[in-house]
Amino acid sequence: MKLWKHTLVTAMAFIGISSAVFYSSCEKDSCADLQCKNGGTCAEGFCRCPSGYEGTVCETAVATKFIGTFYGHNNCQITYPMVDTVDVWLEQSPDRVKFVQHSVIADTLSGTVSGSDLIFTPTTSGNFYKYTNANIVGNKIMVFSQESQNNSNTNVCSFTGFK
């Protein structure tokens, strides 16, 4: 009788452990609990965001990090450094913004956000202004360079500002 009890206990333990291992080794769908937003799709447990959106579930428009007021300094080749302010606001979600620098407030520029870069649409007025390399660092610091040309004089400026 003792042998039967020992055999029965061993068999039950074996079945219990085998069942636990078998049940826990089942592969679950890594996308089952992930709800991607704004047209994002799940692949291998991660959201693949459409152009213009970012975040773990594509919840943030890329332009969001640029929107706000940046206070900083504008340093130019042919003029003295000066305190300046830049305002950026959403023109069209998810990636189009408007941009105005207070020292040249007459020039409101449009741009498209791509990752951490802001690409401006070229504009020409009185003076020719070309903004290049505008980017955001850590969602708090904006850096951009500006080249202005009037006749044969060219002035290159760089702005660094903080939210």
Side-chain angles (χ1 to χ4, degrees):
M1 188 60 139
K2 197 174 192 181
L3 180 63
W4 281 103
K5 285 182 183 179
H6 186 27
T7 306
L8 186 59
V9 168
T10 304
M12 293 302 284
F14 177 76
I15 291 171
I17 292 171
S18 298
S19 297
V21 169
F22 180 72
Y23 178 75
S24 65
S25 68
C26 291
E27 211 173 295
K28 295 180 181 179
D29 182 8
S30 58
C31 291
D33 296 330
L34 193 57
Q35 298 295 322
C36 301
K37 298 179 180 179
N38 296 308
T41 57
C42 183
E44 299 175 5
F46 296 97
C47 286
R48 306 273 190 245
C49 300
S51 179
Y53 292 95
E54 61 189 7
T56 55
V57 291
C58 307
E59 74 278 11
T60 307
V62 294
T64 304
K65 60 183 152 244
F66 278 95
I67 295 171
T69 300
F70 295 84
Y71 304 97
H73 291 88
N74 199 19
N75 296 310
C76 299
Q77 287 178 332
I78 62 175
T79 59
Y80 293 106
M82 69 170 135
V83 175
D84 206 351
T85 304
V86 169
D87 288 320
V88 183
W89 63 95
L90 189 62
E91 178 180 24
Q92 182 181 357
S93 190
D95 59 356
R96 297 279 304 159
V97 297
K98 287 277 195 177
F99 176 101
V100 67
Q101 185 178 2
H102 288 213
S103 62
V104 279
I105 203 146
D107 295 329
T108 300
L109 302 174
S110 292
T112 302
V113 177
S114 176
S116 292
D117 297 322
L118 179 53
I119 302 153
F120 293 96
T121 307
T123 60
T124 305
S125 63
N127 291 334
F128 171 74
Y129 291 96
K130 180 182 180 183
Y131 292 82
T132 59
N133 299 328
N135 56 43
I136 194 93
V137 180
N139 293 346
K140 297 268 186 215
I141 304 168
M142 177 192 276
V143 179
F144 73 90
S145 62
Q146 162 194 356
E147 180 181 321
S148 60
Q149 187 175 8
N150 187 358
N151 299 327
S152 61
N153 297 328
T154 300
N155 189 21
V156 177
C157 301
S158 64
F159 171 85
T160 302
F162 302 87
K163 271 189 186 180

